[in-house]
Amino acid sequence: MNFNESESIQMDLFGASPTPAVVEKPKVPNTVSLNGLVAFKYSAYMKKSIRCRGGVLFGHPEVMLPAYMKSDEFVQARELAAEWAEYATRRKTQKNRLITKELVSRFWTLVDQILADKGEAPLATRNKLPPMKPKGKYHNLEEILAAVNNTYFENKLSCRITWSNRVGGLSFHSVRKDPVTGEDFNLISISKGYDAANCPEYAVAGVVYHECLHIAIPPVVRNGRRIVHGRNFRKQERLYLYYAEWSKWHREVLPKNIRDMRRHKEL
């Protein structure tokens, strides 16, 4: 990991943000899987369950889904349901049982994610992801993360970022499982106390950089102790150009913002 100490390059942190490419939303079928092999039907009476029966379409299964899953937002969830049905209608071997269990877990985790992102109440399932909401009222975390990643990590850091739903005010890093791919990924959650009119962008970038360092410099165990903020971590943390200013804001202003959040005051 190469941490750039050049002030001239670090000053580019708050430069113009790249314009994201506009990708047209593809038309997707909602009555058949994308490979054309698994048929979908929908029931207005189902909400927290899915069903399948085999040998319907060219020997492939048919999946019954809740009616609200017919919209385009659920296309990836429907594809997981189709994959689940393919295994669920095969021989009940131990391997197939394990695969179907994993697929149905990923399916409901993704459904919860989609519902949460739409602002709706998620279903009562385990291991659900928080809604991914990087665009705040005052600051866009994706743009700040891109600048931090480019300036300090040579764009080599792989992670996602969102504003935290916790009222307690802590920013944190965690490892989550992608419900679509099943792969682990790093998730950075930033306290909403930073999404305030009194918070300068260098302060948000400071806490984002801090959480990025937790990915770049993972904790180590020495003499039975788990060290999170070791000597190397603190050394790299001070390379942030506005480290002193961010630390002061974090120490003096953030606690007040958190108190205002708990009292439902406007930040």
Side-chain angles (χ1 to χ4, degrees), residues 122-138:
L123 305 173
T125 60
R126 297 180 179 180
N127 302 321
K128 56 181 176 288
L129 289 170
M132 296 294 162
K133 296 183 178 179
K135 292 183 180 179
K137 184 176 181 180
Y138 297 96

Side-chain angles (χ1 to χ4, degrees), residues 78-179:
R78 292 197 297 268
E79 291 304 303
L80 278 178
E83 188 177 356
W84 161 78
E86 291 275 21
Y87 283 97
T89 53
R90 294 177 184 176
R91 285 185 58 195
K92 306 300 180 183
T93 64
Q94 184 177 3
K95 180 180 179 180
N96 282 346
R97 287 193 183 99
L98 291 174
I99 293 174
T100 54
K101 183 178 180 181
E102 180 194 7
L103 286 170
V104 78
S105 175
R106 286 165 55 190
F107 169 81
W108 288 113
T109 300
L110 180 57
V111 168
D112 267 352
Q113 173 71 56
I114 296 167
L115 291 173
D117 287 346
K118 293 174 64 177
E120 300 177 18
L123 305 173
T125 60
R126 297 180 179 180
N127 302 321
K128 56 181 176 288
L129 289 170
M132 296 294 162
K133 296 183 178 179
K135 292 183 180 179
K137 184 176 181 180
Y138 297 96
H139 300 289
N140 187 327
L141 290 175
E142 284 184 336
E143 293 178 354
I144 293 174
L145 173 62
V148 169
N149 197 4
N150 179 62
T151 304
Y152 294 97
F153 300 96
E154 298 181 337
N155 284 325
K156 294 179 180 178
L157 208 64
S158 177
C159 60
R160 304 178 195 176
I161 194 165
T162 183
W163 289 107
S164 173
N165 288 322
R166 297 184 182 181
V167 183
L170 293 177
S171 301
F172 59 97
H173 154 254
S174 59
V175 178
R176 301 299 185 99
K177 187 174 290 293
D178 190 305

Side-chain angles (χ1 to χ4, degrees), residues 10-256:
Q10 291 182 24
M11 289 296 287
D12 291 340
L13 177 63
F14 304 116
S17 302
T19 303
V22 177
V23 180
E24 292 186 5
K25 194 173 185 179
K27 297 290 183 181
V28 294
N30 55 22
T31 57
V32 68
S33 62
L34 293 180
N35 61 11
L37 298 178
V38 178
F40 299 123
K41 285 192 174 181
Y42 302 91
S43 169
Y45 301 101
M46 297 170 63
K47 184 177 181 181
K48 298 181 181 180
S49 63
I50 57 175
R51 300 171 189 167
C52 70
R53 61 191 182 100
V56 177
L57 186 63
F58 307 113
H60 293 271
E62 175 187 83
V63 180
M64 180 70 74
L65 299 167
Y68 64 87
M69 294 185 187
K70 193 174 184 179
S71 64
D72 288 350
E73 291 94 340
F74 289 91
V75 60
Q76 290 181 318
R78 292 197 297 268
E79 291 304 303
L80 278 178
E83 188 177 356
W84 161 78
E86 291 275 21
Y87 283 97
T89 53
R90 294 177 184 176
R91 285 185 58 195
K92 306 300 180 183
T93 64
Q94 184 177 3
K95 180 180 179 180
N96 282 346
R97 287 193 183 99
L98 291 174
I99 293 174
T100 54
K101 183 178 180 181
E102 180 194 7
L103 286 170
V104 78
S105 175
R106 286 165 55 190
F107 169 81
W108 288 113
T109 300
L110 180 57
V111 168
D112 267 352
Q113 173 71 56
I114 296 167
L115 291 173
D117 287 346
K118 293 174 64 177
E120 300 177 18
L123 305 173
T125 60
R126 297 180 179 180
N127 302 321
K128 56 181 176 288
L129 289 170
M132 296 294 162
K133 296 183 178 179
K135 292 183 180 179
K137 184 176 181 180
Y138 297 96
H139 300 289
N140 187 327
L141 290 175
E142 284 184 336
E143 293 178 354
I144 293 174
L145 173 62
V148 169
N149 197 4
N150 179 62
T151 304
Y152 294 97
F153 300 96
E154 298 181 337
N155 284 325
K156 294 179 180 178
L157 208 64
S158 177
C159 60
R160 304 178 195 176
I161 194 165
T162 183
W163 289 107
S164 173
N165 288 322
R166 297 184 182 181
V167 183
L170 293 177
S171 301
F172 59 97
H173 154 254
S174 59
V175 178
R176 301 299 185 99
K177 187 174 290 293
D178 190 305
V180 177
T181 65
E183 298 177 349
D184 291 340
F185 69 91
N186 292 294
L187 175 64
I188 293 175
S189 300
I190 301 297
S191 167
K192 284 186 179 177
Y194 278 91
D195 192 26
N198 64 2
C199 182
E201 193 170 47
Y202 68 73
V204 187
V207 70
V208 170
Y209 175 65
H210 175 93
E211 297 303 329
C212 285
L213 279 180
H214 280 302
I215 301 172
I217 308 176
V220 295
V221 177
R222 291 177 185 159
N223 299 324
R225 289 182 57 217
R226 186 171 181 267
I227 301 174
V228 178
H229 300 115
R231 182 179 299 177
N232 185 37
F233 184 97
R234 292 302 187 191
K235 177 183 177 182
Q236 299 296 342
E237 187 179 38
R238 287 181 173 83
L239 294 181
Y240 176 55
L241 182 61
Y242 300 98
Y243 173 78
E245 292 87 345
W246 162 61
S247 298
K248 187 175 188 297
W249 191 96
H250 180 87
R251 184 175 59 253
E252 298 178 1
V253 184
L254 181 61
K256 177 182 179 299

